[in-house]
Every structure is written in structure tokens, then in C-alpha cells.
Amino acid sequence: MSVQPWPQPAPEIVAAVAVMYRGKRERPLAVMVRDQLGEWLADEQFAGAYGKRGKPGWPPSRLALVTIFQMAEDLTDRQAAEAVRTRIDWKYALGLDLADPGFDDSILSEFRARVAGGGLDQMVLDTLLQRLAAGGLVSAGGKMRTDSTHVIAAVRDLNRLELAGESVRACLEALAVAAPHWLAGHLDDSWGKRYAARIDTWRMPASATKKEELALAYGRDGRTLLKAVYAAAGSDADLAFLARLHQVEVLRVVLLQNYLTVTGERGREVIRRREAQAEGLPPGRSRITSPYDLDARWGVKRDTFWNGYKVHITETCDTSDDGSSSAGDGEDGGEAVAPPHLIVNVETTDATVPDNQMTAPVHARLAGRDLLPAEHYVDSGYPSAELLVSSLATFGITLVTPMLADTSPQARAGAGFDRTAFAIDFGAQQATCPQGHASSSWNPVTQRGTETIVITFAKGTCRPCPVRAQCTTSAAGRRQLTVHPRQVHEAQLAARAAQDTRDFQARYALRAGVEGTIRQGVAVTGMRHARYHGLAKTRLEHTNAAAALNLIRLHAWWNGHPMDRTRTSHLARLELALAS
């Protein structure tokens, strides 16, 4: 890859911009980015995605900047390529001549594939944050907040019946391109009728019996097709590549996850559908939901059920009272405008990954960027008792978050004796119940990879107890407690006690601002709908979206606009005037 420095904007473009945006007229985002940040991306950063030899092309650093501007304006590839050709502000930012023809829009797709395949999806955001850290706009310490939202994959939702049929059709489409003559010799008349159009474009039978017949037909067709492919690949060296086709492997996995091959009454092999209550289905984290996006998964969060991914956004949230970020002087010696809240991390996962599995990875990523906060504000889905302790011990981060409530029957009912009613002496390895009886056993164990302690009271103590009904309904006739090790247990108790206080609630209110950031990401960049197939490209999309949102906020700050420009209706203003 040849390294090409960015040229300065052409003199005629500089002169035109100066005339068009003179006086108090604000310069557009692309112009301000070039003026304030200069050449902040370099071709060397993308060298890992390109070979050392080949035809010279568009510099990857400038293509990266184009993708950011594209996300900032929610443009398609074709619209972005047209903007490079025709818009003077983009030419100014990219250092192009007025007559520069730009590039074909397919270049952007190729660029994304190279960056995602090379593992450079975080490069743009890393570079921008390093530049902002050098200017004092982001730094370690201070406060940050994180929240997640669902992301819908760029594929159609398919039920199990449609998935089986569409997987067979996708495999046939791939074979029709790779080996049309071979495929023509293995098709019968029914296949063309059944798989000519996309499965979700025609109406499925309403009868359960006919649906079952169609599902079995899909399974038989898929199995017949795979057997023919593997037989051809094994017997003819020229056709060996058929077994390695992507859609052939996808069909194999889909059939494996949704069908069984059993021996019938006459000793013949019979295809049968898997049922969740009988043979069982693969867990959601492993189950393919579309033959066109193998990383998308079905997810559920409260009342929302979707097929796709989940994105976690972390941003700074220091307030003017913290004194952790310094604002420059305002224009004409006026009051300084506080620096904007900036996105410092974005993590994208499939939809099945729970929020509490991402707390430690978010901290690790921030540590790699040297941007660890002192306080991290998250909702109750992110913490666990163990994370309260490990985040502080490993990263020096205090999690400001409400803890999930005790889920024991006694705590849920609000009656009887929950864990807080027992006195636990970790030094003596003994617990004392509300009636003053000591436990009979203390067993440190590991449950689902987490260290816990199981405390048991003797049957002879519990069975004759007059308040046994308020303590346990166990068939074994004795009470059993499961608690965390001492440090974790005490941290959990302290957090649950603190979260009901007014001071905590006032402090925790700072977390709500991240909802506005998610809303901005959805409205401006379309973050909630994936543009591309696959986790790698979706992660790249979200990283570019985060960089674009940061530049939009910086553009407002460079022009002296405060962060919280809330709208007040004329009616509200009238009511305020009358009240005064």
C-alpha cells in the first residue's frame, strides 16, 4: 500500500468557502473538522488491511473520513460517493481539487470489508479519542455512563419453517452460480416451482398439517441436495470446491439444528423435525436465524423481541461542578461553553449476550485507551455483587448503580425471614437465625463459575421451630442460605442499603442522559438498524457512528452552542410569563 499524505484544500475551494461562510455564518461540519483536526487519520494506520503490492487506489485514511461523514448524514454509499464529487465542503475536508471525479461507490463496500476483516474496526474511534485526549477534552478519571439498545439485523425475520426453506433456496442460488451445469442435472420439476422465489414472498399454508408437510419437504430436499454435493465433491476433483461453498455449510448447520434423521419402521431413513420439548433445540446463542447473516440472534429485553445485535454506548458525563474538564473562553470574552459529552467506547455483541457480561469488557477497553473513569453509572442490568468488588479492585472504578433485589421467596413476598435477617459471622464460619440458633454446616462452593458459600441449618433445629413457616417451606425441613464471600457480601448489602437514599437517587440521576445519546444515535445515524451483514461489519458501523456523533457534538461546541439546547414551546413560555 502506498502512503499518500493529504494535500491542503485547493486555493479556489478555500476562497469559495471563505466567501460563502464569512461573518457569523457557521461553517459546516466537514469544513470545521478539517480546520480543527487537520490530517488526523493516516494511511499507515490501515496498512494491516491492505497488501504491500497492487494498483494504487484511494487513500484509506480519506475513505475512513468519508465513512464518518456518511454516518453523520445517514447517507447511502451512492449518496456519499456523489457528495465527494459534488459538495465543496467535503472536497475541502478531503483536500480534493474542484474537478476531482471522486470514486465509484463500490469502493466504500470494499473498504469496509478490508477494515472489518483486518480487525481495525476500532481504529477511527481510537485515533479520534487520542487526538481529543491530547487537547484535554477526554481524560481518565471523572464520570462516565453506559447503556445498551437493540439493533435489528439487515435481514428479514424468518420462523423455523421459512428458515429451512430459505436455506435450501440460498444453497441452490449459490450452486446455480458456481456449477450451473452440474445443478441442472440434479433438479426435478418441483424444485423450480418451490424455490424460484424468496420463501417469505408467498403465503404459507394455514393448516398445521400442511405446514408440517412443507417443513418435511424442505428437510428432505436439503438432505438430498447435500448428499448430491458431497458425492460430487468426493468423486470429481473438479467439483471438490462445491463442498466448501459458504451456503452449503450454512444449509448443513441449519438442517442439523432443526431436523433429525431417524430409522423408520421399514428400516429406511426418515427426516423428522426437532421439537423443543422432545429432542431439544440448540441454545439461542448458537441457533442460526438467517442464512444470510450467521451472527444475528434472537434477543428479548422486557417487551422487546428482535433478531440481530445489541450495542453498548459509553460516554463521558462530567458536570460543570466537577471541574474535571476545562472549557475555553467564549467568543468575545463571553461565558465559556462547557465541553460536550463524548462517546469513549462502543461495544457490539449478538442479541443473546446479557448486559452484565459486558461490564468487564467495557472497562478493559477503556483501560486500553487510558480513559478509565473514577465513577461508572450503569443501570441494574450491568452490575453483579462480584463486579462491584472486582471493578474497584482491578480498574479502580466505582460502579454507581442500583442492585437487583433479593429474589428469595421471603424477600419477594415481603414477609418472613430473608438473608438480611440472619447474622453471618465469616470469621467463625457460622450463621445465626432470628431465633438465635446457629448453622450446622458452612460449605464454600463454586456455582456457575462464581464462588459462593452454602450455609445449612440442622433439621433438628428447624423442624420444631415455631416460626418455621416464615423461614422455609423446604421439603427437607431445614433452612439453607447461599451467600457470597465476605467482601462481596458486604459490598452487596452496602449497595442495596444506599440505593434507597435520596442522596444516591440524586447522584444516580446523571445516568439518564445516556438515553439521549442513544436517541441521537438512532435519529442521526440509524444505529438501531444494521446496514450490513455480520457482526464484524455491524461493529464497524457502530464505531463509525460513535465517531460521527462525537464530531457533531464537537462541531456544536466549536461554534459556541451549549450542550442542552432544550426546546421550549410558545405556550410554555406564555405560561411561565403569566406565572411570574
Side-chain angles (χ1 to χ4, degrees), residues 417 421-424 430-439 457 461-462 465 467 471 479 481:
F417 304 120
F422 291 77
I424 301 176
Q430 193 174 67
T432 304
C433 75
Q435 296 297 304
H437 301 292
S439 59
F457 288 81
T461 301
C462 292
C465 182
V467 293
C471 188
R479 180 65 185 267
L481 297 175

Side-chain angles (χ1 to χ4, degrees), residues 37 159 171 175 315 362 392 398 409 471 518 543:
L37 300 181
N159 56 36
C171 186
L175 291 171
E315 69 169 354
V362 168
L392 186 60
T398 300
C471 188
I518 291 177
T543 305

Side-chain angles (χ1 to χ4, degrees), residues 5 9 20 73 149 169 175 177 196 202 216 271 278 360 375 386 458 460-461 467 486 504 509 518 532 578:
M20 288 188 291
E73 300 186 25
T149 189
R169 197 189 77 85
L175 291 171
V177 174
W202 52 277
L216 294 178
I271 294 291
E375 295 180 351
E386 292 78 16
T461 301
V467 293
R486 182 172 191 166
F504 174 85
I518 291 177
Y532 320 115
L578 294 175

Side-chain angles (χ1 to χ4, degrees), residues 375-387:
E375 295 180 351
H376 193 187
Y377 293 73
V378 292
D379 63 27
S380 58
Y382 283 91
S384 65
E386 292 78 16
L387 284 169

Side-chain angles (χ1 to χ4, degrees), residues 36-37 40 126-140 324-329 337-340 342 369-371 554 557-558:
Q36 297 289 334
L37 300 181
W40 60 281
D126 284 342
T127 305
L128 179 59
L129 292 175
Q130 290 172 4
R131 186 65 177 267
L132 298 179
L137 289 176
V138 293
S139 62
S324 55
S325 297
S326 58
D329 294 334
V337 176
L342 298 171
R369 289 173 171 152
D370 197 21
L371 292 176
L554 287 168
W557 182 62
W558 288 329

Side-chain angles (χ1 to χ4, degrees), residues 536-561:
K537 287 187 178 180
T538 304
R539 183 182 292 119
L540 175 63
E541 173 192 349
H542 292 155
T543 305
N544 288 335
L549 292 177
N550 280 345
L551 292 181
I552 290 172
R553 294 181 173 193
L554 287 168
H555 180 241
W557 182 62
W558 288 329
N559 284 293
H561 299 307

Side-chain angles (χ1 to χ4, degrees), residues 187-411:
L187 292 178
D188 57 38
D189 296 337
S190 64
W191 286 48
K193 179 180 178 181
R194 190 177 296 157
Y195 301 109
R198 247 189 3 246
I199 299 301
D200 60 344
T201 59
W202 52 277
R203 182 174 296 178
M204 289 288 174
S207 155
T209 302
K210 291 186 177 181
K211 284 183 179 179
E212 183 66 19
E213 292 175 355
L214 183 59
L216 294 178
Y218 288 152
R220 287 191 295 268
D221 289 349
R223 186 171 182 275
T224 300
L225 183 60
L226 287 181
K227 289 180 68 175
V229 167
Y230 292 142
S235 60
D236 189 342
D238 292 336
L239 296 176
F241 72 96
L242 294 181
R244 299 190 296 271
L245 290 178
H246 173 69
Q247 290 298 345
V248 170
E249 177 63 15
V250 171
L251 177 59
R252 185 190 70 82
V253 175
V254 169
L255 292 181
L256 182 65
Q257 292 182 348
N258 293 277
Y259 292 89
L260 287 172
T261 302
V262 298
T263 303
E265 296 178 356
R266 299 181 181 179
R268 300 171 62 182
E269 291 186 344
V270 178
I271 294 291
R272 191 175 72 191
R273 295 185 80 190
R274 286 181 177 270
E275 298 299 337
Q277 303 303 325
E279 299 83 11
L281 293 171
R285 64 180 179 274
S286 305
R287 198 182 312 164
I288 291 177
T289 63
S290 171
Y292 307 113
D293 190 341
L294 302 188
D295 296 325
R297 295 292 182 267
W298 285 105
V300 59
K301 187 174 183 179
R302 292 187 287 273
D303 297 332
T304 304
F305 190 59
W306 77 99
N307 180 28
Y309 305 94
K310 188 186 290 186
V311 59
H312 304 260
I313 299 176
T314 303
E315 69 169 354
T316 59
C317 59
D318 294 307
T319 62
S320 57
D321 298 333
D322 298 328
S324 55
S325 297
S326 58
D329 294 334
E331 295 183 4
D332 301 326
E335 184 178 353
V337 176
H341 296 157
L342 298 171
I343 298 174
V344 293
N345 191 57
V346 176
E347 298 289 344
T348 306
T349 68
D350 69 70
T352 64
V353 179
D355 289 351
N356 61 10
Q357 298 298 313
M358 294 306 299
T359 307
V362 168
H363 291 167
R365 181 83 72 178
L366 292 173
R369 289 173 171 152
D370 197 21
L371 292 176
L372 283 173
E375 295 180 351
H376 193 187
Y377 293 73
V378 292
D379 63 27
S380 58
Y382 283 91
S384 65
E386 292 78 16
L387 284 169
L388 287 177
V389 175
S390 63
S391 296
L392 186 60
T394 306
F395 299 105
I397 296 175
T398 300
L399 288 179
V400 182
T401 174
M403 299 296 294
L404 293 175
D406 187 352
T407 57
S408 66
Q410 298 86 352

